[in-house]
Amino acid sequence: MRRDYFGDLAAFAAVADERSFTRAAAQLGLSVAALSRTIQALEDRLGAPLLTRTTRSVALTPAGERLRSLGPDLDALEEKLSGLAGADEEIAGKVRIAAPRHATTALWPALNRLLADHPGIELDLLPPGDEADATVRLGEQVERGIAAIRIGPDLRMALVASPGFLAARQLPATPHELADYPAIVWRDAPLWQLERSTIRPAARLTVADPELALRAALDGVGFAYLFEDLAAPHIAAGRLTRVRREWSASVPGYHLHHARGVASPALTAVVDALRFHPERDNVRRLTLDSGARRPAA
């Protein structure tokens, strides 16, 4: 069995059982697009279609029915494989993760549990851009040879500025007018999604971490489009003003990106610990809304 078959077969089994790519993707912690590519790759390797897809349903082909009938054999193989790392072979090793501080703060509960469960694992949390075994980024960035695993929910955003900055300016009437105002831009999110519009703000300052964007907004450098949970305490305290609340949208949540292939047991444990499951609290909630201050008109 090729090294990537087992995970692909598990993905196929989830779709076959759920009869839905959306429900199976949520169960596996993947995006629908990533799951669809996995199934397509499996069908290409086997040389036969496994599923018939319509806009309303997913059904098994005859080849898919035969493959799904192997389920008990696959379960037995998984059980045998999981027994290879027994109590006498504790998972150990160092895993380097490059991530914005905002992401590592949100993921800390899951990382803390991982460290408690696996005393032999060492984590090295690095800033974005550093060489690492895995990188945390917003959304699923499709690259050849790279796996992307969803590790958090979509994130609510808030358009904000300091009261001093706004005092000397008229508020923009439309999202596109923001292109005429100085802005603070996070390098990983250079485009702003506002009221079904995508704009490229006039970047007076470009930063490598969203928390630096917060600091610059507090200092009156310009408009910032921040994660709602970062902005909420400062909005409540009056240090920032939320502008045009109705324009704000959500952005794709954090994903963990790492090279496909044979992952170390330690990296596999990290992936399993961080994989997002909508039905349980895997990460600290990132959709806070202070409600303490009405948005500026």
Side-chain angles (χ1 to χ4, degrees):
M1 180 182 292
R2 286 177 50 172
R3 67 191 181 208
D4 48 357
Y5 262 22
F6 197 82
D8 292 356
L9 290 172
F12 164 73
V15 177
D17 293 345
E18 294 290 340
R19 292 295 199 270
S20 164
F21 274 82
T22 300
R23 290 194 296 272
Q27 178 189 121
L28 297 168
L30 299 172
S31 70
V32 173
L35 181 56
S36 181
R37 287 195 299 273
T38 296
I39 299 302
Q40 182 64 59
L42 181 60
E43 290 176 325
D44 291 345
R45 279 191 233 113
L46 296 177
L50 302 172
L51 301 166
T52 56
R53 310 163 176 83
T54 70
T55 56
R56 302 181 67 177
S57 66
V58 175
L60 295 177
T61 66
E65 293 281 4
R66 291 195 298 274
L67 181 59
R68 189 66 192 100
S69 70
L70 298 176
D73 295 332
L74 294 174
D75 292 341
L77 176 58
E78 183 177 18
E79 185 176 349
K80 291 178 180 179
L81 290 174
S82 65
L84 292 178
D88 295 334
E89 194 175 338
E90 173 63 34
I91 297 175
K94 176 181 283 190
V95 178
R96 298 166 300 166
I97 304 173
R101 187 165 62 174
H102 178 259
T104 54
T105 299
L107 296 170
W108 175 245
L111 294 174
N112 189 31
R113 288 194 297 270
L114 172 73
L115 292 173
D117 293 342
H118 300 286
I121 290 181
E122 300 176 34
L123 296 180
D124 191 357
L125 303 181
L126 305 168
D130 279 19
E131 184 177 350
D133 303 300
T135 301
V136 176
R137 302 172 184 162
L138 280 180
E140 178 193 20
Q141 301 186 18
V142 180
E143 300 175 51
R144 187 176 182 84
I146 300 296
I149 297 91
R150 176 180 277 272
I151 58 175
D154 289 349
L155 304 174
R156 288 287 304 172
M157 303 298 290
L159 180 65
V160 299
S162 71
F165 175 84
L166 293 174
R169 293 167 176 82
Q170 184 175 355
L171 287 177
T174 68
H176 291 285
E177 288 183 17
L178 279 170
D180 299 327
Y181 292 78
I184 306 149
V185 178
W186 180 25
R187 187 173 294 113
D188 281 3
L191 301 179
W192 291 358
Q193 301 291 334
L194 294 162
E195 200 186 40
R196 295 185 293 278
S197 299
T198 301
I199 69 164
R200 183 179 293 277
R204 176 86 185 277
L205 175 67
T206 301
V207 298
D209 192 283
E211 296 202 9
L212 295 177
L214 170 64
R215 174 165 295 190
L218 290 168
D219 287 341
V221 173
F223 282 106
Y225 200 38
L226 299 176
F227 298 121
E228 193 176 67
D229 71 296
L230 273 183
H234 301 282
I235 295 171
R239 293 185 292 269
L240 288 176
T241 299
R242 185 164 190 171
V243 178
R244 306 296 190 195
R245 181 190 295 260
E246 67 276 12
W247 291 356
S248 296
S250 295
V251 296
Y254 285 120
H255 286 62
L256 188 75
H257 297 74
H258 66 88
R260 291 187 182 275
V262 179
S264 70
L267 177 56
T268 300
V270 169
V271 171
D272 290 342
L274 296 184
R275 191 185 298 275
F276 177 60
H277 297 278
E279 70 277 7
R280 74 171 190 241
D281 281 335
N282 191 49
V283 297
R284 187 167 292 164
R285 289 298 178 190
L286 296 176
T287 54
L288 307 180
D289 188 346
S290 71
R293 178 178 294 266
R294 300 298 299 169

